[in-house]
Amino acid sequence: MRVSPRLPLALALALVGCVPGILDPIISGGISGEASESGPPQMSSTDSDGTIGDPGETCTTCESATEAVFIVLPDLGETCTTCDGDTEAVFVVPPGPPPACDVYAQDCPSGFKCTAEGPPPLDSESITCSPIVAEPDQAGEPCQVLVEGHLGPDTCDIGLVCGDVDPQTSIGTCAVMCQGSASEPLCAAGEECWGYEIPLCVPHCDPLLQDCPAGESCQYAGVDFICLKVDVANQVFEGCGGDWRCAPGLSCADGDVAAECVIGVEGPGCCSPYCDLSGPSCPGVGQQCRAYYEPGEAPPGLENVGVCALP
């Protein structure tokens, strides 16, 4: 029976004040909101004959010294607001956020891509249709997050997201997002779909070879092994809370895999070495190389993968 790994857990109302003689800018991508039911009614400006004006070229004039006008802008066209009185305030409610989109299907309007925007943490509210920049960066190319400290927008093309971003420079590399659907994700041959809100196609690796870039470890990802960043490189028999907290070559297995395990604040698991069933060698007293997969379930090329554990 396969030793159970400790799996990793996946990666306002905008009020634009208006004072006499000042036109405040309306910023694309602002946070949406609307007046409460008990508050002043929302109004669209009208022409002199009482008909609704063109929402792309709306101008509202406040004539009363205490008048407050709520304007709901259906788009970000050439809308202006003029305040003539001494104390009136104009509240501009920007348009709502783009409709929810599907990162697998990339179902945003032309010129947009479905990706993550806004500040961390990454969750379902972060996913939105974001404009694609002119001459966008392609897969594997350097990219930039355009708002410091945010998840996006970025300079990558549709179907890509700027990953491994340096927090100091906002520079990263364009990574490929999975296609298909959440139930049937699609990636290129030799790749695995990994992630939740922003699922990425990441290369397979061999836990016995640990053929990942520096700072990453080849770890189990639900079906196959992929390269994951090492959070804390705990050593053999040290406690752990997930594979990403063990040094390369070690699996965060159940805490009873070795008599030498020291379980502490790091978590309930224990870092124990991967081993080769065809030439087993384990460091713990009484440990054996036990098959990582159930018989017949190992992906091609991983039939000999095991982990050191007590019988």
Side-chain angles (χ1 to χ4, degrees):
M1 184 172 183
R2 179 169 64 80
V3 177
S4 299
R6 295 284 172 177
L7 299 182
L9 301 176
L11 261 146
L13 171 66
L15 299 181
V16 181
C18 181
V19 297
I22 297 178
L23 303 183
D24 289 325
I26 300 172
I27 302 174
S28 177
I31 302 173
S32 67
E34 55 186 37
S36 66
E37 294 182 0
S38 60
Q42 296 179 338
M43 301 170 57
S44 296
S45 64
T46 58
D47 295 332
S48 59
D49 59 359
T51 60
I52 301 297
D54 182 352
E57 297 181 356
T58 300
C59 184
T60 299
T61 301
C62 312
E63 297 178 351
S64 170
T66 59
E67 180 180 7
V69 178
F70 292 77
I71 307 169
V72 179
L73 303 178
D75 58 30
L76 294 181
E78 298 178 359
T79 301
C80 63
T81 301
T82 302
C83 306
D84 295 329
D86 295 328
T87 61
E88 77 276 4
V90 173
F91 298 85
V92 179
V93 183
C101 58
D102 186 332
V103 292
Y104 292 94
Q106 288 296 323
D107 52 354
C108 290
S110 177
F112 291 78
K113 66 174 184 174
C114 189
T115 187
E117 274 197 22
L122 176 63
D123 56 28
S124 60
E125 300 299 319
S126 307
I127 308 303
T128 186
C129 291
S130 178
I132 301 173
V133 301
E135 300 183 2
D137 301 313
Q138 301 304 309
E141 295 182 349
C143 55
Q144 183 173 9
V145 173
L146 299 176
V147 180
E148 184 178 356
H150 280 213
L151 303 167
D154 60 46
T155 59
C156 295
D157 206 348
I158 187 171
L160 308 174
V161 65
C162 196
D164 294 332
V165 177
D166 186 324
Q168 303 301 320
T169 64
S170 296
I171 300 297
T173 304
C174 289
V176 179
M177 290 191 281
C178 308
Q179 299 181 29
S181 66
S183 59
E184 296 184 6
L186 299 177
C187 287
E191 293 182 333
E192 183 84 6
C193 185
W194 173 252
Y196 295 92
E197 306 298 347
I198 297 293
L200 300 178
C201 291
V202 293
H204 294 161
C205 58
D206 189 326
L208 301 180
L209 299 177
Q210 287 297 317
D211 48 350
C212 292
E216 298 184 4
S217 176
C218 185
Q219 299 289 2
Y220 183 68
V223 176
D224 212 327
F225 283 80
I226 63 172
C227 294
L228 298 175
K229 283 190 175 296
V230 176
D231 184 11
V232 178
N234 291 322
Q235 302 302 308
V236 63
F237 301 143
E238 290 184 345
C240 54
D243 284 344
W244 72 101
R245 299 186 73 86
C246 289
L250 302 178
S251 170
C252 187
D254 289 337
D256 58 358
V257 292
E260 296 86 349
C261 286
V262 179
I263 307 301
V265 297
E266 287 292 335
C270 177
C271 294
S272 190
Y274 290 107
C275 53
D276 190 337
L277 295 173
S278 62
S281 176
C282 291
V285 175
Q287 277 191 319
Q288 298 177 1
C289 186
R290 297 175 57 185
Y292 199 85
Y293 293 95
E294 297 286 355
E297 293 184 2
L302 299 179
E303 294 87 354
N304 287 334
V305 175
V307 65
C308 291
L310 293 174

